[in-house]
Amino acid sequence: MAENRKYKIAIIGTGGIARHHIKAYLNQPDVEIVAAADLIPGKAEEFMKQYGVEGVRFYPSHKELIDSETELDGISICTYNTQHANVAIYALEHNIPVLLEKPFTVTLDEAVEVCKAEKKSDAFVSVGFQPRFDANMQMIGKIVRSGVLGKIYYIQTGGGRRRGMPGDSFIRKDQGGIGALGDIGCYSLDMVLNALGYPKPLTVSGYTSNFFGTSPVYNPDWHQTFQVDDFGAGFIRLEGDIILDFRISWAMHCDTPGDTIILGTDGALRIPSTDCWNGAPGGPMTLYHDVCGQQTETVIPVIGTTDFSELFNLKIRSFLDAIDTNGPAPVPTSQILINQAIIDGIVRSAEAGREIEITIPEI
């Protein structure tokens, strides 16, 4: 914790995910929430009242907040997905560190613009991937980097729910922008790409659908306004001659599209699936390898019992610590730009009905 200071924090967007941010901030004794903004009149005021936070200044837009609050130490951006880029860029132009909720942006072009603004700024952006702080997720990277798997050549990853479609802003093009791909798909991509050191994608053959979201049978409350994907899949070629086979779903006639599997020339790792990848894997992992010529399985036990709220606390703490040192960002945009490029590529490939190249501009 910081000594002899209070981090002055603002929250922009006071919807569902902001509730996790404020709870985590309130667990940090060196934080003072000084401002909040929301487009809906009275929403931010009611939000702060609910959590007993007093002395907060309220604004109807991110621009008015940032223009008025000249001593901010950091901002949590919890807006609609389609506003992530606009708000982050404006904060960076004012040299304010940003904790940006996932997904990074909706499109690759938006992500590139945020990265360009960050490069010009004295501040940084950390993207809100709390699973990074789970010890079990970190173990995946340790196993891959140890070399025990040999050369990685194929990865199967993804996840999803038999039924788990959200509503409201999540399912509208003008607010959510993308559906399951951005909401939970970004997590499973980060899990494996981060372990590999984020190799760049080269090509993708993508597919998206929303049969369940637009069905009055399976989505009676929201089918008429459902405009995004509820299922996405991609076959991605990565640098280093690695194939990534990815699928993600908000709804399907199955409990899971499969475990995550990392295949290497000397071993393989199986990671039990979950419906979201919002925290730890779904159970103990299994390492498949040969010992003295014998086919062997080694079970990797679950480490600790870190829950979602604790991971959020760690995410918020890492952001505050980065503010104190002026970076680097705990979850840097240089990595998540690649994550976004894959999601964007899946969408564009699905629209084109063919495989496409993925080109990430130099920042």
Side-chain angles (χ1 to χ4, degrees), residues 17 20-21 100-104 127-132 137 140 157-159 161 170 180-195 198 246 248 260 274-280 308 311-312 315 331 336 339 343:
I17 197 64
H20 298 290
H21 281 251
L100 178 60
E101 256 309 319
K102 59 81 190 169
F104 183 9
V127 185
F129 282 30
Q130 63 277 352
R132 287 274 190 107
M137 291 293 192
I140 297 168
T157 195
R161 310 157 181 162
F170 281 89
L181 282 169
D183 180 36
I184 54 178
C186 62
Y187 284 144
S188 56
L189 287 172
D190 185 65
M191 175 177 63
V192 294
L193 292 172
N194 185 44
Y198 260 97
F246 165 77
I248 199 75
T260 289
T274 76
D275 66 357
C276 187
W277 296 114
N278 210 359
F308 180 79
L311 293 179
F312 239 89
K315 177 169 77 170
V331 183
I336 311 307
N339 189 305
I343 292 173

Side-chain angles (χ1 to χ4, degrees), residues 25 53 104 111 164 218-219 286 289 310 313 315-316 339 363:
Y25 279 126
V53 182
F104 183 9
Y218 298 111
N219 195 16
T286 303
H289 56 130
E310 181 57 28
N313 288 336
K315 177 169 77 170
I316 294 296
N339 189 305
I363 305 299

Side-chain angles (χ1 to χ4, degrees), residues 81-82 84 103-108 110 175-178 340 343-344:
N81 298 345
T82 55
H84 281 188
F104 183 9
T105 55
V106 172
T107 68
L108 174 59
E110 290 175 338
Q175 295 179 348
I178 47 180
Q340 198 67 46
I343 292 173
D344 179 85

Side-chain angles (χ1 to χ4, degrees), residues 34-49:
V34 299
D38 200 289
L39 296 173
I40 300 174
K43 186 176 179 181
E45 289 87 341
E46 181 61 31
F47 178 81
M48 291 299 169
K49 181 180 178 181

